Amino acid sequence: MPDRIRAAADRLARCRSRGDLAEAIAVEAERYTLFDLQQIGGGIKREVDRLPEPYRSRVRPYFEAQLFGAYHRLMLAHRSGSFAALEGPIADRERFDAFVALIVPGCLEDGGTDFGLKNPHHTLFYYLMAGFVMFVEGGPGHPVGTPFPGGFAVEKKGENYYCPIREKEEEVLFSICNVCPAKQMEGV
């Protein structure tokens, strides 16, 4: 398992264009079986079930969209061949390299980022989907509308994304928030 995670991170690190990155992520995502996806869904469900109501009900669809919405968009585009049309380099190479550097320790070390998945292979799926959303699609790590405690949510204004916790996750070592393209929401 650790070798597979290292190989996946190395493969992503070698990508230079958005199209190459999308294909590399899709090839890695194809390795997940239906049983894997069910286990990942169960892990996310257990994690969300621990949250208090009414926050739990509000956030559940966003957590599902964060992983499985991204997975469905990824696989649909991969199977239709549309990644071949993605041109141009990966935006913000420094941020991307920092993201890739999170993958191996985020999956294999105890950094508080197992997301309820309890399996390094399943945690890799989380990073793959985050990489697709942030570095291929250009979106934020958490979907627009994702609510956070305090009544704030991820927003899009013009071409920019704003998150209420963007700069508040720095102490979580392997958090995708540390490499997210969203900006910190002002006044939060």
Side-chain angles (χ1 to χ4, degrees):
M1 179 95 46
D3 289 342
R4 176 164 179 244
I5 292 167
R6 285 185 190 92
D10 288 345
R11 180 179 187 157
L12 299 186
R14 289 190 306 272
C15 293
R16 295 291 168 241
S17 73
R18 288 174 52 231
D20 290 344
L21 178 60
E23 280 298 321
I25 292 171
V27 167
E28 292 297 330
E30 283 182 317
R31 295 179 180 203
Y32 288 84
T33 66
L34 179 57
F35 183 67
D36 289 324
L37 298 175
Q38 289 171 328
Q39 286 184 308
I40 292 166
I44 296 298
K45 180 185 183 313
R46 281 188 303 279
E47 196 70 13
V48 173
D49 284 350
R50 296 179 6 190
L51 299 172
E53 283 293 0
Y55 180 65
R56 172 183 25 201
S57 294
R58 286 196 317 265
V59 79
R60 185 181 308 278
Y62 292 96
F63 281 7
E64 291 168 356
Q66 181 177 352
L67 287 181
F68 296 112
Y71 174 75
H72 290 295
R73 292 190 310 276
L74 171 73
M75 299 316 290
L76 178 64
H78 172 63
R79 291 176 181 145
S80 71
S82 64
F83 291 144
L86 282 179
E87 296 180 1
I90 297 167
D92 197 341
R93 186 68 200 201
E94 185 177 322
R95 191 168 46 82
F96 174 71
D97 290 342
F99 165 75
V100 172
L102 292 174
I103 295 172
V104 173
C107 290
L108 300 178
E109 296 177 22
D110 182 13
T113 55
D114 73 3
F115 317 104
L117 302 177
K118 309 292 184 212
N119 178 323
H121 174 64
H122 296 163
T123 303
L124 175 61
F125 182 82
Y126 175 86
Y127 282 108
L128 292 170
M129 294 310 106
F132 172 67
V133 169
M134 293 188 299
F135 298 102
V136 175
E137 294 183 324
H142 294 95
V144 170
T146 301
F148 289 95
F152 298 99
V154 176
E155 298 177 354
K156 182 175 184 184
K157 294 179 183 175
E159 295 300 311
N160 294 312
Y161 297 97
Y162 296 90
C163 179
I165 65 162
R166 170 64 179 84
E167 293 176 359
K168 298 179 184 341
E169 290 289 301
E170 292 171 350
E171 70 280 355
V172 180
L173 295 176
F174 310 120
S175 173
I176 63 167
C177 297
N178 295 321
V179 294
C180 182
K183 300 173 191 290
Q184 176 64 40
M185 189 176 284
E186 291 184 30
V188 179

